[in-house]
Amino acid sequence: MRVLSGIQPTGNLHLGNYLGAIRNWVKMQDEMDADSQCFFFLADMHSITVHEAREQRIRNVRDMAAALVAAGIDPDRSVLFNQARVPAHAELCWLLNGTARIGWLNRMTQFKDKAGKDREGASVGLFVYPVLQAADILAYNATHVPVGEDQKQHLELARDIAAKFNSDFGVDLFTLPDPIIPKESARIMSLRDGSAKMSKSDPSDMSRINLTDDDDAIMAKVKKAKSDQEMLPETAAGLAGRPEASNLVGILATLTARTPDAVCAEFAGKGFGAFKPALGEVLVETLRPIRQRFLELRTDDAALDAILDKGAAKAAAAAEPTLRAAYDAMGLMR
Ligand code: AMP
Ligand code: TRP
C-alpha cells in the first residue's frame, strides 16, 4: 500500500480541512503496516494558481507543515514535504501533458468553478492543474489517495492518464490509484449556512472554526451557529430538511466516533440550547492540543524547513525510478 495525498498551503486551516482531510491522513498513517508507506505533501506548486506575495507563500508552506505535524502527521513515519522541493512533480507533469487531452481537462468541474465566467482570462496553470495532480500521484505509484469528494474527478483523470500512457508507450509503468473518500464528514458545512461548505474563503469568520481559534472563540462560534427552534429527534432521519441541525449533529458524531443516530438518541427531545455547549466542549478539547502544538511549532522556521528538506530527499528518491522510466519509455534521454 502506498498512500499519498496533498493539500494546498493557502491560508488558515479550519475544521472542514481537519475532519474532511487531515484527520483521515493521520488515521491512515497510524494504521500502516511495515510494508506500507505514506506520502503527504504541501501542494505549493498548485497554489501558484492563486496570486500570493512571496513572503506570504513562504509563511503558508511553513504554517501548513506545522499544522500537519500538530495534527499528528509524524515526519519520521510519513514522508512530509512540499512539491517545490521535489522537481520530479514538475518534470513528470510536463511529460504527462503529452498524454492528457484537452477534451478531458475541459470536463473538469473544478476548473469551471474556479475560472468562473472569465475562462479566457484564467491562467494556463489553472487549466492543467489536474495534470500536475496526476503527476503527484503517479510519480510515486500511489495506490490509495485519501481526498474529499470534490477531488474524485481529478482522481479519475489521473487513472485515465496512467492508462493511456501505459498503453501509448506499451509499458506497465503507472499504477492506477484508488481514491479513499470518507463516508462521514466528507463535507462540513458553514456554521452560518447549512447549504454552503465550511470554507476559508467565506467572508464571515463566524462561519468556520479555525485551527487557531482559542477556546473562547470556539465556544462563541458554536453558540452563535445557525440552528433551528425544533428539538433534536430520536433518530437522524428526523433531521431531514434541517441542514444546520444535521451539520451540527454530524460534527459531534464525527468527533466522538459515533453515528448521527447515536448522537440523536442522546439528545432526543432537547433543544440546541442543551446541544451546543456539549458540542462546543468536545470541539474545544479536541482542538486545544492541536492548536497548542501548532503555535509552538510555527515559531521555529528552521526546524520546519529541516523537516521539509528531509521529507523532500526521501520523496525525490522514491519518485526517481518512475520518473526515469517515464523519460525512457518516451525515448527522452536525460
Ligand atoms: P481546500 O482548503 O479547499 O483546498 O481543501 C483542502 C482539503 O480539505 C481537501 O481535501 C478538501 O476536500 C478538504 N475540505 C475543505 N473544506 C472542507 C469541508 N467544508 N468539509 C470537508 N472537507 C473539506
Ligand atoms: N487538488 C487537491 C485539493 O485541492 C490537492 C492535491 C494536489 C492533491 N495534488 C494532489 C490531493 C495529489 C491528492 C493527491 O484538495
Side-chain angles (χ1 to χ4, degrees), residues 5-8 10 12-22 25 64 114 129 146-151 185-190 196-200:
S5 196
I7 189 163
Q8 286 199 51
T10 43
N12 274 342
L13 276 169
H14 54 73
L15 185 69
N17 303 134
Y18 178 63
L19 294 181
I22 297 163
W25 297 6
M64 189 63 90
K114 294 206 170 164
Y129 179 114
V147 283
E149 181 73 42
D150 58 340
Q151 295 300 313
S185 71
R187 271 163 80 83
I188 303 293
M189 309 311 280
S190 157
K197 249 184 30 168
M198 183 177 288
S199 160
K200 62 180 164 248

PDB file of all heavy atoms in Angstrom, residues 5-8 10 12-22 25 64 114 129 146-151 185-190 196-200, ligand 1:
ATOM      1  N   SER A   5      -1.286  11.905  -0.364  1.00  0.00           N
ATOM      2  CA  SER A   5      -2.251  12.982  -0.548  1.00  0.00           C
ATOM      3  C   SER A   5      -1.567  14.329  -0.404  1.00  0.00           C
ATOM      4  O   SER A   5      -0.484  14.435   0.154  1.00  0.00           O
ATOM      5  CB  SER A   5      -3.418  12.873   0.431  1.00  0.00           C
ATOM      6  OG  SER A   5      -4.487  13.690  -0.025  1.00  0.00           O
ATOM      7  N   GLY A   6      -2.217  15.347  -0.940  1.00  0.00           N
ATOM      8  CA  GLY A   6      -1.672  16.696  -0.891  1.00  0.00           C
ATOM      9  C   GLY A   6      -2.715  17.692  -0.450  1.00  0.00           C
ATOM     10  O   GLY A   6      -3.919  17.432  -0.539  1.00  0.00           O
ATOM     11  N   ILE A   7      -2.246  18.826   0.043  1.00  0.00           N
ATOM     12  CA  ILE A   7      -3.147  19.905   0.433  1.00  0.00           C
ATOM     13  C   ILE A   7      -2.495  21.218   0.051  1.00  0.00           C
ATOM     14  O   ILE A   7      -1.278  21.363   0.174  1.00  0.00           O
ATOM     15  CB  ILE A   7      -3.468  19.830   1.950  1.00  0.00           C
ATOM     16  CG1 ILE A   7      -4.568  20.819   2.329  1.00  0.00           C
ATOM     17  CG2 ILE A   7      -2.215  20.073   2.799  1.00  0.00           C
ATOM     18  CD1 ILE A   7      -5.217  20.523   3.674  1.00  0.00           C
ATOM     19  N   GLN A   8      -3.291  22.149  -0.452  1.00  0.00           N
ATOM     20  CA  GLN A   8      -2.708  23.435  -0.832  1.00  0.00           C
ATOM     21  C   GLN A   8      -2.418  24.265   0.411  1.00  0.00           C
ATOM     22  O   GLN A   8      -3.282  24.404   1.268  1.00  0.00           O
ATOM     23  CB  GLN A   8      -3.677  24.198  -1.729  1.00  0.00           C
ATOM     24  CG  GLN A   8      -3.744  23.622  -3.121  1.00  0.00           C
ATOM     25  CD  GLN A   8      -4.317  24.630  -4.093  1.00  0.00           C
ATOM     26  OE1 GLN A   8      -3.891  25.773  -4.180  1.00  0.00           O
ATOM     27  NE2 GLN A   8      -5.322  24.199  -4.841  1.00  0.00           N
ATOM     28  N   THR A  10      -2.682  27.239   1.550  1.00  0.00           N
ATOM     29  CA  THR A  10      -3.219  28.588   1.379  1.00  0.00           C
ATOM     30  C   THR A  10      -4.045  28.939   2.598  1.00  0.00           C
ATOM     31  O   THR A  10      -5.060  28.306   2.861  1.00  0.00           O
ATOM     32  CB  THR A  10      -4.117  28.667   0.126  1.00  0.00           C
ATOM     33  OG1 THR A  10      -4.940  27.496   0.115  1.00  0.00           O
ATOM     34  CG2 THR A  10      -3.305  28.701  -1.137  1.00  0.00           C
ATOM     35  N   ASN A  12      -5.465  29.844   6.431  1.00  0.00           N
ATOM     36  CA  ASN A  12      -5.675  29.099   7.664  1.00  0.00           C
ATOM     37  C   ASN A  12      -6.427  27.800   7.471  1.00  0.00           C
ATOM     38  O   ASN A  12      -7.352  27.723   6.687  1.00  0.00           O
ATOM     39  CB  ASN A  12      -6.464  29.966   8.647  1.00  0.00           C
ATOM     40  CG  ASN A  12      -5.545  30.850   9.439  1.00  0.00           C
ATOM     41  OD1 ASN A  12      -4.330  30.607   9.516  1.00  0.00           O
ATOM     42  ND2 ASN A  12      -6.106  31.899  10.021  1.00  0.00           N
ATOM     43  N   LEU A  13      -6.055  26.816   8.260  1.00  0.00           N
ATOM     44  CA  LEU A  13      -6.801  25.564   8.261  1.00  0.00           C
ATOM     45  C   LEU A  13      -8.044  25.713   9.112  1.00  0.00           C
ATOM     46  O   LEU A  13      -8.043  26.414  10.123  1.00  0.00           O
ATOM     47  CB  LEU A  13      -5.932  24.475   8.876  1.00  0.00           C
ATOM     48  CG  LEU A  13      -4.961  23.815   7.920  1.00  0.00           C
ATOM     49  CD1 LEU A  13      -3.978  22.963   8.686  1.00  0.00           C
ATOM     50  CD2 LEU A  13      -5.731  22.954   6.938  1.00  0.00           C
ATOM     51  N   HIS A  14      -9.098  25.020   8.730  1.00  0.00           N
ATOM     52  CA  HIS A  14     -10.329  25.068   9.516  1.00  0.00           C
ATOM     53  C   HIS A  14     -10.817  23.651   9.804  1.00  0.00           C
ATOM     54  O   HIS A  14     -10.216  22.665   9.342  1.00  0.00           O
ATOM     55  CB  HIS A  14     -11.391  25.915   8.809  1.00  0.00           C
ATOM     56  CG  HIS A  14     -11.678  25.482   7.393  1.00  0.00           C
ATOM     57  ND1 HIS A  14     -12.379  24.343   7.100  1.00  0.00           N
ATOM     58  CD2 HIS A  14     -11.326  26.029   6.213  1.00  0.00           C
ATOM     59  CE1 HIS A  14     -12.470  24.215   5.780  1.00  0.00           C
ATOM     60  NE2 HIS A  14     -11.835  25.220   5.221  1.00  0.00           N
ATOM     61  N   LEU A  15     -11.908  23.592  10.558  1.00  0.00           N
ATOM     62  CA  LEU A  15     -12.445  22.297  10.976  1.00  0.00           C
ATOM     63  C   LEU A  15     -12.773  21.390   9.789  1.00  0.00           C
ATOM     64  O   LEU A  15     -12.613  20.170   9.879  1.00  0.00           O
ATOM     65  CB  LEU A  15     -13.699  22.544  11.834  1.00  0.00           C
ATOM     66  CG  LEU A  15     -14.329  21.310  12.469  1.00  0.00           C
ATOM     67  CD1 LEU A  15     -13.435  20.745  13.560  1.00  0.00           C
ATOM     68  CD2 LEU A  15     -15.724  21.647  13.032  1.00  0.00           C
ATOM     69  N   GLY A  16     -13.219  21.984   8.669  1.00  0.00           N
ATOM     70  CA  GLY A  16     -13.535  21.190   7.470  1.00  0.00           C
ATOM     71  C   GLY A  16     -12.292  20.485   6.941  1.00  0.00           C
ATOM     72  O   GLY A  16     -12.334  19.300   6.615  1.00  0.00           O
ATOM     73  N   ASN A  17     -11.170  21.212   6.874  1.00  0.00           N
ATOM     74  CA  ASN A  17      -9.918  20.590   6.421  1.00  0.00           C
ATOM     75  C   ASN A  17      -9.496  19.486   7.379  1.00  0.00           C
ATOM     76  O   ASN A  17      -9.029  18.432   6.960  1.00  0.00           O
ATOM     77  CB  ASN A  17      -8.764  21.600   6.373  1.00  0.00           C
ATOM     78  CG  ASN A  17      -9.035  22.794   5.492  1.00  0.00           C
ATOM     79  OD1 ASN A  17      -8.789  23.929   5.878  1.00  0.00           O
ATOM     80  ND2 ASN A  17      -9.554  22.565   4.304  1.00  0.00           N
ATOM     81  N   TYR A  18      -9.657  19.769   8.673  1.00  0.00           N
ATOM     82  CA  TYR A  18      -9.202  18.789   9.669  1.00  0.00           C
ATOM     83  C   TYR A  18     -10.042  17.513   9.622  1.00  0.00           C
ATOM     84  O   TYR A  18      -9.509  16.415   9.489  1.00  0.00           O
ATOM     85  CB  TYR A  18      -9.218  19.408  11.078  1.00  0.00           C
ATOM     86  CG  TYR A  18      -8.810  18.408  12.130  1.00  0.00           C
ATOM     87  CD1 TYR A  18      -7.532  17.850  12.119  1.00  0.00           C
ATOM     88  CD2 TYR A  18      -9.707  17.976  13.110  1.00  0.00           C
ATOM     89  CE1 TYR A  18      -7.153  16.888  13.048  1.00  0.00           C
ATOM     90  CE2 TYR A  18      -9.340  17.023  14.043  1.00  0.00           C
ATOM     91  CZ  TYR A  18      -8.070  16.483  14.005  1.00  0.00           C
ATOM     92  OH  TYR A  18      -7.705  15.530  14.913  1.00  0.00           O
ATOM     93  N   LEU A  19     -11.375  17.662   9.683  1.00  0.00           N
ATOM     94  CA  LEU A  19     -12.221  16.455   9.705  1.00  0.00           C
ATOM     95  C   LEU A  19     -12.347  15.814   8.333  1.00  0.00           C
ATOM     96  O   LEU A  19     -12.471  14.594   8.222  1.00  0.00           O
ATOM     97  CB  LEU A  19     -13.614  16.807  10.244  1.00  0.00           C
ATOM     98  CG  LEU A  19     -13.674  17.233  11.712  1.00  0.00           C
ATOM     99  CD1 LEU A  19     -15.110  17.538  12.117  1.00  0.00           C
ATOM    100  CD2 LEU A  19     -13.079  16.174  12.625  1.00  0.00           C
ATOM    101  N   GLY A  20     -12.309  16.633   7.275  1.00  0.00           N
ATOM    102  CA  GLY A  20     -12.500  16.099   5.921  1.00  0.00           C
ATOM    103  C   GLY A  20     -11.227  15.520   5.321  1.00  0.00           C
ATOM    104  O   GLY A  20     -11.288  14.685   4.431  1.00  0.00           O
ATOM    105  N   ALA A  21     -10.067  15.977   5.777  1.00  0.00           N
ATOM    106  CA  ALA A  21      -8.830  15.530   5.139  1.00  0.00           C
ATOM    107  C   ALA A  21      -7.792  15.054   6.153  1.00  0.00           C
ATOM    108  O   ALA A  21      -7.496  13.868   6.256  1.00  0.00           O
ATOM    109  CB  ALA A  21      -8.255  16.663   4.273  1.00  0.00           C
ATOM    110  N   ILE A  22      -7.269  15.994   6.923  1.00  0.00           N
ATOM    111  CA  ILE A  22      -6.059  15.706   7.703  1.00  0.00           C
ATOM    112  C   ILE A  22      -6.233  14.593   8.719  1.00  0.00           C
ATOM    113  O   ILE A  22      -5.359  13.746   8.897  1.00  0.00           O
ATOM    114  CB  ILE A  22      -5.590  17.004   8.388  1.00  0.00           C
ATOM    115  CG1 ILE A  22      -5.231  18.013   7.301  1.00  0.00           C
ATOM    116  CG2 ILE A  22      -4.402  16.769   9.304  1.00  0.00           C
ATOM    117  CD1 ILE A  22      -5.137  19.421   7.791  1.00  0.00           C
ATOM    118  N   TRP A  25      -5.795  11.391   7.138  1.00  0.00           N
ATOM    119  CA  TRP A  25      -4.392  11.097   6.827  1.00  0.00           C
ATOM    120  C   TRP A  25      -3.719  10.506   8.064  1.00  0.00           C
ATOM    121  O   TRP A  25      -2.992   9.522   7.969  1.00  0.00           O
ATOM    122  CB  TRP A  25      -3.631  12.364   6.441  1.00  0.00           C
ATOM    123  CG  TRP A  25      -4.087  13.056   5.210  1.00  0.00           C
ATOM    124  CD1 TRP A  25      -5.180  12.758   4.432  1.00  0.00           C
ATOM    125  CD2 TRP A  25      -3.450  14.180   4.603  1.00  0.00           C
ATOM    126  NE1 TRP A  25      -5.250  13.641   3.390  1.00  0.00           N
ATOM    127  CE2 TRP A  25      -4.217  14.517   3.470  1.00  0.00           C
ATOM    128  CE3 TRP A  25      -2.326  14.936   4.911  1.00  0.00           C
ATOM    129  CZ2 TRP A  25      -3.874  15.583   2.634  1.00  0.00           C
ATOM    130  CZ3 TRP A  25      -1.985  15.995   4.085  1.00  0.00           C
ATOM    131  CH2 TRP A  25      -2.750  16.311   2.957  1.00  0.00           C
ATOM    132  N   MET A  64       1.469  25.388   7.102  1.00  0.00           N
ATOM    133  CA  MET A  64       0.741  24.154   6.818  1.00  0.00           C
ATOM    134  C   MET A  64       1.548  22.946   7.285  1.00  0.00           C
ATOM    135  O   MET A  64       0.978  21.973   7.786  1.00  0.00           O
ATOM    136  CB  MET A  64       0.421  24.062   5.330  1.00  0.00           C
ATOM    137  CG  MET A  64      -0.508  22.934   4.984  1.00  0.00           C
ATOM    138  SD  MET A  64      -2.140  23.093   5.738  1.00  0.00           S
ATOM    139  CE  MET A  64      -3.004  24.018   4.480  1.00  0.00           C
ATOM    140  N   LYS A 114     -13.603  27.459 -10.709  1.00  0.00           N
ATOM    141  CA  LYS A 114     -12.589  28.438 -10.323  1.00  0.00           C
ATOM    142  C   LYS A 114     -12.351  29.484 -11.397  1.00  0.00           C
ATOM    143  O   LYS A 114     -12.032  30.629 -11.089  1.00  0.00           O
ATOM    144  CB  LYS A 114     -11.275  27.745  -9.940  1.00  0.00           C
ATOM    145  CG  LYS A 114     -11.446  26.907  -8.674  1.00  0.00           C
ATOM    146  CD  LYS A 114     -10.171  26.707  -7.890  1.00  0.00           C
ATOM    147  CE  LYS A 114     -10.525  26.071  -6.541  1.00  0.00           C
ATOM    148  NZ  LYS A 114      -9.398  25.503  -5.841  1.00  0.00           N
ATOM    149  N   TYR A 129      -3.855  22.207 -13.967  1.00  0.00           N
ATOM    150  CA  TYR A 129      -3.766  21.821 -12.548  1.00  0.00           C
ATOM    151  C   TYR A 129      -3.964  20.314 -12.344  1.00  0.00           C
ATOM    152  O   TYR A 129      -3.181  19.665 -11.654  1.00  0.00           O
ATOM    153  CB  TYR A 129      -4.826  22.654 -11.808  1.00  0.00           C
ATOM    154  CG  TYR A 129      -4.990  22.446 -10.324  1.00  0.00           C
ATOM    155  CD1 TYR A 129      -4.663  23.465  -9.424  1.00  0.00           C
ATOM    156  CD2 TYR A 129      -5.512  21.262  -9.800  1.00  0.00           C
ATOM    157  CE1 TYR A 129      -4.847  23.300  -8.059  1.00  0.00           C
ATOM    158  CE2 TYR A 129      -5.685  21.084  -8.448  1.00  0.00           C
ATOM    159  CZ  TYR A 129      -5.361  22.104  -7.577  1.00  0.00           C
ATOM    160  OH  TYR A 129      -5.540  21.932  -6.230  1.00  0.00           O
ATOM    161  N   PRO A 146      -6.288   9.419  -0.180  1.00  0.00           N
ATOM    162  CA  PRO A 146      -7.386   9.963   0.614  1.00  0.00           C
ATOM    163  C   PRO A 146      -7.662  11.426   0.253  1.00  0.00           C
ATOM    164  O   PRO A 146      -6.774  12.262   0.350  1.00  0.00           O
ATOM    165  CB  PRO A 146      -6.882   9.843   2.068  1.00  0.00           C
ATOM    166  CG  PRO A 146      -5.393   9.743   1.969  1.00  0.00           C
ATOM    167  CD  PRO A 146      -5.067   9.177   0.619  1.00  0.00           C
ATOM    168  N   VAL A 147      -8.861  11.695  -0.202  1.00  0.00           N
ATOM    169  CA  VAL A 147      -9.251  13.053  -0.618  1.00  0.00           C
ATOM    170  C   VAL A 147     -10.711  13.297  -0.269  1.00  0.00           C
ATOM    171  O   VAL A 147     -11.448  12.367   0.033  1.00  0.00           O
ATOM    172  CB  VAL A 147      -9.108  13.252  -2.157  1.00  0.00           C
ATOM    173  CG1 VAL A 147      -7.663  13.441  -2.563  1.00  0.00           C
ATOM    174  CG2 VAL A 147      -9.747  12.109  -2.921  1.00  0.00           C
ATOM    175  N   GLY A 148     -11.117  14.545  -0.358  1.00  0.00           N
ATOM    176  CA  GLY A 148     -12.528  14.896  -0.216  1.00  0.00           C
ATOM    177  C   GLY A 148     -13.260  14.562  -1.509  1.00  0.00           C
ATOM    178  O   GLY A 148     -12.654  14.408  -2.574  1.00  0.00           O
ATOM    179  N   GLU A 149     -14.572  14.467  -1.376  1.00  0.00           N
ATOM    180  CA  GLU A 149     -15.468  14.168  -2.506  1.00  0.00           C
ATOM    181  C   GLU A 149     -15.153  15.035  -3.742  1.00  0.00           C
ATOM    182  O   GLU A 149     -15.201  14.555  -4.879  1.00  0.00           O
ATOM    183  CB  GLU A 149     -16.901  14.446  -2.008  1.00  0.00           C
ATOM    184  CG  GLU A 149     -18.016  14.195  -2.981  1.00  0.00           C
ATOM    185  CD  GLU A 149     -18.271  12.714  -3.193  1.00  0.00           C
ATOM    186  OE1 GLU A 149     -18.252  11.959  -2.209  1.00  0.00           O
ATOM    187  OE2 GLU A 149     -18.487  12.332  -4.367  1.00  0.00           O
ATOM    188  N   ASP A 150     -14.795  16.292  -3.498  1.00  0.00           N
ATOM    189  CA  ASP A 150     -14.581  17.236  -4.603  1.00  0.00           C
ATOM    190  C   ASP A 150     -13.376  16.859  -5.491  1.00  0.00           C
ATOM    191  O   ASP A 150     -13.237  17.396  -6.584  1.00  0.00           O
ATOM    192  CB  ASP A 150     -14.416  18.667  -4.066  1.00  0.00           C
ATOM    193  CG  ASP A 150     -13.255  18.800  -3.078  1.00  0.00           C
ATOM    194  OD1 ASP A 150     -12.818  17.780  -2.508  1.00  0.00           O
ATOM    195  OD2 ASP A 150     -12.788  19.935  -2.881  1.00  0.00           O
ATOM    196  N   GLN A 151     -12.532  15.949  -5.026  1.00  0.00           N
ATOM    197  CA  GLN A 151     -11.343  15.589  -5.799  1.00  0.00           C
ATOM    198  C   GLN A 151     -11.511  14.294  -6.598  1.00  0.00           C
ATOM    199  O   GLN A 151     -10.579  13.840  -7.255  1.00  0.00           O
ATOM    200  CB  GLN A 151     -10.133  15.451  -4.867  1.00  0.00           C
ATOM    201  CG  GLN A 151      -9.728  16.759  -4.210  1.00  0.00           C
ATOM    202  CD  GLN A 151      -9.359  17.807  -5.245  1.00  0.00           C
ATOM    203  OE1 GLN A 151      -8.611  17.550  -6.178  1.00  0.00           O
ATOM    204  NE2 GLN A 151      -9.929  19.008  -5.098  1.00  0.00           N
ATOM    205  N   SER A 185     -18.518  13.026   7.441  1.00  0.00           N
ATOM    206  CA  SER A 185     -17.816  14.302   7.468  1.00  0.00           C
ATOM    207  C   SER A 185     -17.037  14.586   6.191  1.00  0.00           C
ATOM    208  O   SER A 185     -16.038  15.263   6.196  1.00  0.00           O
ATOM    209  CB  SER A 185     -16.868  14.406   8.659  1.00  0.00           C
ATOM    210  OG  SER A 185     -15.762  13.572   8.482  1.00  0.00           O
ATOM    211  N   ALA A 186     -17.502  13.996   5.065  1.00  0.00           N
ATOM    212  CA  ALA A 186     -16.882  14.341   3.800  1.00  0.00           C
ATOM    213  C   ALA A 186     -17.099  15.827   3.535  1.00  0.00           C
ATOM    214  O   ALA A 186     -16.289  16.477   2.902  1.00  0.00           O
ATOM    215  CB  ALA A 186     -17.446  13.500   2.679  1.00  0.00           C
ATOM    216  N   ARG A 187     -18.200  16.352   4.053  1.00  0.00           N
ATOM    217  CA  ARG A 187     -18.489  17.783   3.893  1.00  0.00           C
ATOM    218  C   ARG A 187     -18.948  18.387   5.213  1.00  0.00           C
ATOM    219  O   ARG A 187     -20.040  18.086   5.699  1.00  0.00           O
ATOM    220  CB  ARG A 187     -19.601  17.981   2.862  1.00  0.00           C
ATOM    221  CG  ARG A 187     -19.097  18.115   1.438  1.00  0.00           C
ATOM    222  CD  ARG A 187     -20.230  17.893   0.477  1.00  0.00           C
ATOM    223  NE  ARG A 187     -21.070  19.096   0.325  1.00  0.00           N
ATOM    224  CZ  ARG A 187     -20.755  20.091  -0.493  1.00  0.00           C
ATOM    225  NH1 ARG A 187     -19.665  20.070  -1.199  1.00  0.00           N
ATOM    226  NH2 ARG A 187     -21.553  21.140  -0.624  1.00  0.00           N
ATOM    227  N   ILE A 188     -18.114  19.234   5.778  1.00  0.00           N
ATOM    228  CA  ILE A 188     -18.516  20.007   6.954  1.00  0.00           C
ATOM    229  C   ILE A 188     -19.062  21.327   6.419  1.00  0.00           C
ATOM    230  O   ILE A 188     -18.427  21.974   5.594  1.00  0.00           O
ATOM    231  CB  ILE A 188     -17.303  20.274   7.884  1.00  0.00           C
ATOM    232  CG1 ILE A 188     -16.641  18.965   8.306  1.00  0.00           C
ATOM    233  CG2 ILE A 188     -17.709  21.119   9.083  1.00  0.00           C
ATOM    234  CD1 ILE A 188     -17.460  18.073   9.199  1.00  0.00           C
ATOM    235  N   MET A 189     -20.255  21.700   6.893  1.00  0.00           N
ATOM    236  CA  MET A 189     -20.891  22.882   6.332  1.00  0.00           C
ATOM    237  C   MET A 189     -20.613  24.125   7.186  1.00  0.00           C
ATOM    238  O   MET A 189     -20.204  24.028   8.350  1.00  0.00           O
ATOM    239  CB  MET A 189     -22.405  22.657   6.200  1.00  0.00           C
ATOM    240  CG  MET A 189     -22.782  21.355   5.488  1.00  0.00           C
ATOM    241  SD  MET A 189     -21.912  21.055   3.931  1.00  0.00           S
ATOM    242  CE  MET A 189     -22.850  22.094   2.825  1.00  0.00           C
ATOM    243  N   SER A 190     -20.851  25.279   6.576  1.00  0.00           N
ATOM    244  CA  SER A 190     -20.697  26.571   7.253  1.00  0.00           C
ATOM    245  C   SER A 190     -21.581  26.637   8.496  1.00  0.00           C
ATOM    246  O   SER A 190     -22.698  26.110   8.501  1.00  0.00           O
ATOM    247  CB  SER A 190     -21.107  27.676   6.282  1.00  0.00           C
ATOM    248  OG  SER A 190     -21.487  28.835   6.979  1.00  0.00           O
ATOM    249  N   ALA A 196     -23.916  25.678   2.531  1.00  0.00           N
ATOM    250  CA  ALA A 196     -22.606  26.061   1.965  1.00  0.00           C
ATOM    251  C   ALA A 196     -21.502  25.335   2.716  1.00  0.00           C
ATOM    252  O   ALA A 196     -21.595  25.141   3.932  1.00  0.00           O
ATOM    253  CB  ALA A 196     -22.406  27.572   2.070  1.00  0.00           C
ATOM    254  N   LYS A 197     -20.457  24.950   1.997  1.00  0.00           N
ATOM    255  CA  LYS A 197     -19.335  24.266   2.639  1.00  0.00           C
ATOM    256  C   LYS A 197     -18.605  25.210   3.584  1.00  0.00           C
ATOM    257  O   LYS A 197     -18.460  26.392   3.285  1.00  0.00           O
ATOM    258  CB  LYS A 197     -18.332  23.819   1.552  1.00  0.00           C
ATOM    259  CG  LYS A 197     -18.275  22.334   1.386  1.00  0.00           C
ATOM    260  CD  LYS A 197     -17.258  21.791   0.417  1.00  0.00           C
ATOM    261  CE  LYS A 197     -15.962  22.508   0.158  1.00  0.00           C
ATOM    262  NZ  LYS A 197     -15.012  21.670  -0.605  1.00  0.00           N
ATOM    263  N   MET A 198     -18.127  24.696   4.716  1.00  0.00           N
ATOM    264  CA  MET A 198     -17.226  25.498   5.543  1.00  0.00           C
ATOM    265  C   MET A 198     -15.981  25.762   4.702  1.00  0.00           C
ATOM    266  O   MET A 198     -15.402  24.831   4.145  1.00  0.00           O
ATOM    267  CB  MET A 198     -16.853  24.755   6.827  1.00  0.00           C
ATOM    268  CG  MET A 198     -15.980  25.577   7.753  1.00  0.00           C
ATOM    269  SD  MET A 198     -15.590  24.754   9.321  1.00  0.00           S
ATOM    270  CE  MET A 198     -17.154  24.817  10.182  1.00  0.00           C
ATOM    271  N   SER A 199     -15.605  27.039   4.598  1.00  0.00           N
ATOM    272  CA  SER A 199     -14.543  27.378   3.652  1.00  0.00           C
ATOM    273  C   SER A 199     -13.702  28.531   4.154  1.00  0.00           C
ATOM    274  O   SER A 199     -14.209  29.431   4.838  1.00  0.00           O
ATOM    275  CB  SER A 199     -15.194  27.746   2.321  1.00  0.00           C
ATOM    276  OG  SER A 199     -14.313  28.499   1.526  1.00  0.00           O
ATOM    277  N   LYS A 200     -12.412  28.497   3.791  1.00  0.00           N
ATOM    278  CA  LYS A 200     -11.540  29.593   4.211  1.00  0.00           C
ATOM    279  C   LYS A 200     -11.876  30.880   3.467  1.00  0.00           C
ATOM    280  O   LYS A 200     -11.494  31.957   3.895  1.00  0.00           O
ATOM    281  CB  LYS A 200     -10.081  29.225   3.989  1.00  0.00           C
ATOM    282  CG  LYS A 200      -9.752  28.978   2.539  1.00  0.00           C
ATOM    283  CD  LYS A 200      -8.303  28.619   2.332  1.00  0.00           C
ATOM    284  CE  LYS A 200      -8.115  28.010   0.960  1.00  0.00           C
ATOM    285  NZ  LYS A 200      -7.776  26.621   0.953  1.00  0.00           N
TER     286      LYS A 200
HETATM  287  P1  AMP B   1      -9.110  23.313   0.368  1.00  0.00           P
HETATM  288  O1  AMP B   1      -8.762  24.141   1.542  1.00  0.00           O
HETATM  289  O2  AMP B   1     -10.471  23.594  -0.184  1.00  0.00           O
HETATM  290  O3  AMP B   1      -8.018  23.256  -0.668  1.00  0.00           O
HETATM  291  O4  AMP B   1      -9.228  21.825   0.895  1.00  0.00           O
HETATM  292  C1  AMP B   1      -8.178  21.135   1.481  1.00  0.00           C
HETATM  293  C2  AMP B   1      -8.698  19.753   1.897  1.00  0.00           C
HETATM  294  O5  AMP B   1      -9.726  19.882   2.895  1.00  0.00           O
HETATM  295  C3  AMP B   1      -9.331  18.950   0.746  1.00  0.00           C
HETATM  296  O6  AMP B   1      -9.040  17.580   0.900  1.00  0.00           O
HETATM  297  C4  AMP B   1     -10.813  19.193   0.911  1.00  0.00           C
HETATM  298  O7  AMP B   1     -11.593  18.149   0.398  1.00  0.00           O
HETATM  299  C5  AMP B   1     -10.955  19.318   2.429  1.00  0.00           C
HETATM  300  N1  AMP B   1     -12.040  20.228   2.794  1.00  0.00           N
HETATM  301  C6  AMP B   1     -12.093  21.573   2.563  1.00  0.00           C
HETATM  302  N2  AMP B   1     -13.233  22.110   3.034  1.00  0.00           N
HETATM  303  C7  AMP B   1     -13.943  21.070   3.577  1.00  0.00           C
HETATM  304  C8  AMP B   1     -15.217  20.960   4.219  1.00  0.00           C
HETATM  305  N3  AMP B   1     -16.001  22.020   4.436  1.00  0.00           N
HETATM  306  N4  AMP B   1     -15.610  19.734   4.636  1.00  0.00           N
HETATM  307  C9  AMP B   1     -14.829  18.649   4.462  1.00  0.00           C
HETATM  308  N5  AMP B   1     -13.630  18.678   3.860  1.00  0.00           N
HETATM  309  C10 AMP B   1     -13.185  19.872   3.414  1.00  0.00           C
END
